[in-house]
Amino acid sequence: MAKRGVPKAIGKPEDLMAMFEDYRKWVKANPFIVEDWVGGVGKKVVRKKEKPLTMEGFENYVFRTTKVVSSLEQYFSNREGRYSDFVAVCSFIRREIREDQIGGGMAGIYNPSITQRLNNLKEQNETTTVVHTVTLGG
């Protein structure tokens, strides 16, 4: 029996993984270029700042560099169970992006508070207040 429906834009999980590896190499080879002014005389300096891996960046990279025009979201959400063979690769990609962001935040390469928010990390403090009632003479 022939398969029905629209063929997948990315045929195999290995293809998606190769796209991610290309994206990772491109991101790390193309840092942000930041102009800054330092010192009392305001000397202009140019600094390179590492870019973090992001899901949005990956999707944009795939859209710009391949003929894949469909959203990667359907692969990552396994829409209608059609992308079950991609689950392991998608989970790996998510973890790699998260590891890059968290590690970069901890090392001070990326803004730690933004890293915390993007990855649902938070420091939680609990405060307990105890109220004692004292009744005076009567």
Side-chain angles (χ1 to χ4, degrees):
M1 180 181 225
K3 286 187 174 184
R4 299 178 130 180
V6 179
K8 294 175 186 164
I10 302 169
K12 299 178 290 189
E14 297 83 15
D15 297 338
L16 181 61
M17 190 66 209
M19 290 174 183
F20 179 71
E21 290 302 331
D22 290 345
Y23 163 69
R24 178 203 320 264
K25 289 175 189 169
W26 180 85
V27 166
K28 298 308 176 183
N30 291 282
F32 289 113
I33 306 298
V34 179
E35 285 186 9
D36 207 351
W37 303 91
V38 297
V41 293
K43 179 182 176 189
K44 180 180 169 182
V45 294
V46 176
R47 296 184 175 145
K48 293 180 180 180
K49 301 252 181 163
E50 184 176 330
K51 288 181 184 175
L53 300 176
T54 65
M55 205 56 209
E56 292 79 5
F58 178 44
E59 288 186 287
N60 291 339
Y61 177 83
V62 169
F63 183 81
R64 280 192 312 268
T65 60
T66 69
K67 297 197 183 323
V68 175
V69 293
S70 62
S71 170
L72 293 183
E73 183 275 329
Q74 58 197 345
Y75 292 83
F76 284 84
S77 67
N78 190 18
R79 187 177 299 160
E80 299 169 358
R82 290 189 64 222
Y83 304 91
S84 296
D85 47 340
F86 287 83
V87 168
V89 168
C90 289
S91 293
F92 175 79
I93 290 170
R94 274 197 188 107
R95 286 191 312 273
E96 284 288 302
I97 289 172
R98 184 175 162 92
E99 177 187 19
D100 178 74
Q101 292 176 358
I102 293 170
M106 291 174 73
I109 297 168
Y110 314 138
N111 183 304
S113 64
I114 293 173
T115 299
Q116 284 179 315
R117 275 186 254 138
L118 288 174
N119 290 286
N120 298 315
L121 303 171
K122 62 181 181 178
E123 186 175 306
Q124 198 165 352
N125 294 322
E126 280 191 38
T127 304
T128 304
T129 305
V130 178
V131 177
H132 296 280
T133 306
V134 177
T135 307
L136 299 175

